[in-house]
Amino acid sequence: MNIVLAALNSKFIHTNLAIRYIRSYCKDFDMDIKEFTINDSTDSVIRGIYSLKPDILGFSCYIWNIEMVLKVCSSLKKIKPKLKILLGGPEVSFDAVDLMRNHPYIDYIIRGEGELSSHQFFDYIVKSKGTVKDIGNLTYRDKGQIIENAMNPLIENLAIIPFPYKGKNEDFKNKILYYESSRGCPYRCKYCLSSTTEGVRFMPLYRAEQDLLWFIENNISLVKFVDRTFNCGRYYKEIIKFLIQHCKNTRFHFEISGEALDEEAINLLQSAPYGLFQLEIGVQTTNKETLLNIDRHSDFNMLSRKISMLRKNDNMEIHLDLIAGLPGEDYISFARSFNDVYKLKPHMLQLGFLKVLKGSKMREEAGKYGIIYTDYTPYEVISTDWISFDEIANLKRIENVVDIYYNSGRF
């Protein structure tokens, strides 16, 4: 069978890590990957996938692409009725039954972590091994019913997943590549899907160093770690040392917890060559009541001191994030949070808006906090008990001003 794994990225410079992980883990099956962007026409995506003559089509689904994915899959099923359509990713993992009930052209959905389940699925479909009931994480149709199988255990040893960028030659010029040295997060912020899984799993150091050397030797311009909290690991300092020792032309971006940085880590980062690292730190709010409401524990005074230390040598980009529309924060309070962060002079101040994601605890508690959000992706906040739509709309204008006059660096 001809297997195609497809992705609709938000921009041309992005790459999809998930489908590459599936391809590398299922290396005993012949499959193609095909990437488009949400800015491509639906018709061109349909024609591009159809040209590969797939028997099985797997799609990676997120809040930014799900509407277009469904349009593409619906049309392809009409063109090729025997095509088996498999969806996976966070946007289909929490309401799989409803999605399949409302969209009869979807044949299968894999919920949650996908590597092991995908291999079991292809074993069953392609090699006729086992039964459909044996495939963990799978939602499927059987005699008019929609069935959800039990979940597979999470992969504890991440080293069994082959490095996703080896294999077929691909053109990564001017692309951002993504990498993870860990899965999971030690924190339980209610708005984040990382809070839905327990524990953190780490790639062994030897393997992480081997992988990272590939990026450096292949002159990849920017590598973004998708670790939810890069510096929660046992050996994140060793990775930083390794990257400093072997640096060439590749820049690395980490999401970190600022408070969790100790003096040794700060000194190490300050010793890095100019431009080697970008650090993204989620402040989100400095309102103490709001921090309690979202199960986030933060000491802004401590965080401010550590960010000021990181800014001292000005050898790396510091990105600080805020989220508007969190429960307990009104317009005046958000202004204080904004000013608190602005005073730290980050290279980028990213003003975002609460997204009430499927599967998140924030969605469960939306009624408790009077959070009203859009029914369509990205499920963004409209108003809360503390902030009105008029105020949200004004913050949207302020976000635009910040991007143009501050984050652009041109003024």
Side-chain angles (χ1 to χ4, degrees):
M1 288 187 175
N2 191 13
I3 304 168
V4 174
L5 302 181
L8 287 167
N9 301 322
S10 58
K11 294 181 181 178
F12 175 77
I13 60 172
H14 295 167
T15 51
N16 185 287
L17 179 59
I19 60 174
R20 288 180 170 82
Y21 267 140
I22 300 299
R23 182 183 64 177
S24 67
Y25 191 81
C26 301
K27 59 183 180 295
D28 48 329
F29 297 92
D30 186 26
M31 60 184 69
D32 292 309
I33 63 172
K34 189 72 173 174
E35 292 181 279
F36 306 88
T37 79
I38 56 175
N39 298 311
D40 293 323
S41 71
T42 304
D43 182 59
S44 67
V45 175
I46 292 167
R47 285 187 281 107
I49 293 174
Y50 180 76
S51 69
L52 298 173
K53 298 296 187 286
D55 299 299
I56 304 169
L57 172 63
F59 244 117
S60 181
C61 303
Y62 302 87
I63 55 174
W64 63 80
N65 70 11
I66 185 62
E67 293 176 7
M68 192 170 177
V69 167
L70 294 175
K71 290 178 183 178
V72 169
C73 290
S74 173
S75 296
L76 283 169
K77 195 75 165 185
K78 291 177 180 178
I79 297 166
K80 192 173 182 180
K82 292 185 179 180
L83 174 66
K84 298 183 188 302
I85 293 177
L86 168 70
L87 304 185
E91 186 52 26
V92 297
S93 288
F94 298 97
D95 61 347
V97 171
D98 287 340
L99 268 169
M100 291 185 66
R101 184 180 294 122
N102 296 328
H103 303 281
Y105 50 86
I106 302 172
D107 299 298
Y108 306 96
I109 290 176
I110 286 179
R111 313 181 312 276
E113 193 170 70
E115 290 88 359
L116 177 57
S117 303
S118 294
H119 199 284
Q120 292 171 336
F121 175 80
F122 294 129
D123 264 343
Y124 167 70
I125 293 290
V126 179
K127 298 181 179 179
S128 299
K129 288 186 177 180
T131 70
V132 69
K133 296 178 181 178
D134 300 325
I135 305 169
N137 302 24
L138 188 71
T139 304
Y140 61 99
R141 302 179 189 278
D142 182 37
K143 298 176 182 177
Q145 300 295 312
I146 299 173
I147 310 298
E148 283 198 315
N149 288 349
M151 300 296 284
N152 279 324
L154 296 174
I155 297 174
E156 290 299 326
N157 179 14
L158 298 183
I160 69 172
I161 306 173
F163 184 60
Y165 296 104
K166 290 180 180 177
K168 298 183 180 180
N169 292 326
E170 297 175 68
D171 182 11
F172 294 125
K173 186 178 180 181
N174 300 320
K175 297 275 190 175
I176 299 172
L177 299 194
Y178 297 89
Y179 181 73
E180 60 181 357
S181 65
S182 67
R183 288 184 178 180
C185 184
Y187 305 108
R188 290 289 173 266
C189 305
K190 291 180 181 179
Y191 53 82
C192 181
L193 289 184
S194 294
S195 65
T196 62
T197 57
E198 291 292 330
V200 186
R201 296 160 286 152
F202 300 96
M203 188 71 76
L205 180 59
Y206 78 87
R207 168 60 192 279
E209 291 180 345
Q210 175 184 314
D211 294 347
L212 293 169
L213 200 57
W214 184 90
F215 294 120
I216 295 168
E217 291 175 345
N218 285 275
N219 285 314
I220 303 303
S221 58
L222 177 59
V223 175
K224 283 195 171 186
F225 278 63
V226 296
D227 303 34
R228 301 315 302 160
T229 308
F230 169 70
N231 59 320
C232 73
R234 297 183 293 272
Y235 49 75
Y236 78 92
K237 295 175 191 174
E238 281 68 27
I239 291 179
I240 293 173
K241 290 175 187 175
F242 179 85
L243 295 176
I244 292 173
Q245 291 167 0
H246 294 84
C247 68
K248 289 183 182 177
N249 303 312
T250 305
R251 175 178 290 199
F252 294 90
H253 180 107
F254 311 114
E255 291 188 37
I256 67 167
S257 165
E259 293 104 318
L261 290 174
D262 58 23
E263 187 175 350
E264 179 188 3
I266 292 173
N267 290 336
L268 187 60
L269 289 165
Q270 286 179 329
S271 72
Y274 175 83
L276 177 60
F277 297 134
Q278 293 177 355
L279 302 184
E280 183 173 349
I281 301 172
V283 181
Q284 319 311 13
T285 177
T286 62
N287 182 310
K288 293 181 179 179
E289 177 191 351
T290 300
L291 289 168
L292 289 174
N293 288 341
I294 61 176
D295 281 353
R296 188 175 177 88
H297 307 284
S298 180
D299 181 340
F300 185 68
N301 290 328
M302 178 191 295
L303 179 60
S304 298
R305 290 195 298 272
K306 294 191 176 182
I307 291 172
S308 297
M309 293 169 69
L310 289 171
R311 289 282 282 114
K312 184 177 180 182
N313 290 346
D314 202 28
N315 63 323
M316 68 196 102
E317 278 195 24
I318 308 293
H319 299 191
L320 301 183
D321 299 344
L322 285 169
I323 299 178
L326 293 171
E329 183 146 74
D330 60 17
Y331 191 83
I332 299 302
S333 169
F334 186 80
R336 285 195 293 268
S337 292
F338 182 95
N339 290 339
D340 288 340
V341 171
Y342 186 83
K343 288 174 185 175
L344 296 175
K345 298 180 180 179
H347 297 90
M348 288 195 71
L349 198 170
Q350 298 175 172
L351 197 173
F353 294 81
L354 176 65
K355 294 170 179 59
V356 188
L357 301 174
K358 295 178 184 178
S360 68
K361 196 169 183 181
M362 188 60 67
R363 180 168 285 214
E364 293 177 17
E365 297 185 356
K368 172 182 175 182
Y369 296 116
I371 299 173
I372 300 172
Y373 57 92
T374 59
D375 294 328
Y376 52 87
T377 58
Y379 314 116
E380 197 165 85
V381 63
I382 292 173
S383 64
T384 73
D385 283 345
W386 292 268
I387 195 164
S388 69
F389 177 72
D390 284 335
E391 291 166 331
I392 289 287
N394 200 48
L395 290 177
K396 289 278 187 179
R397 290 190 286 270
I398 290 172
E399 176 197 22
N400 192 38
V401 170
V402 171
D403 282 339
I404 292 172
Y405 289 101
Y406 185 84
N407 291 337
S408 71
R410 296 173 183 171
F411 297 89

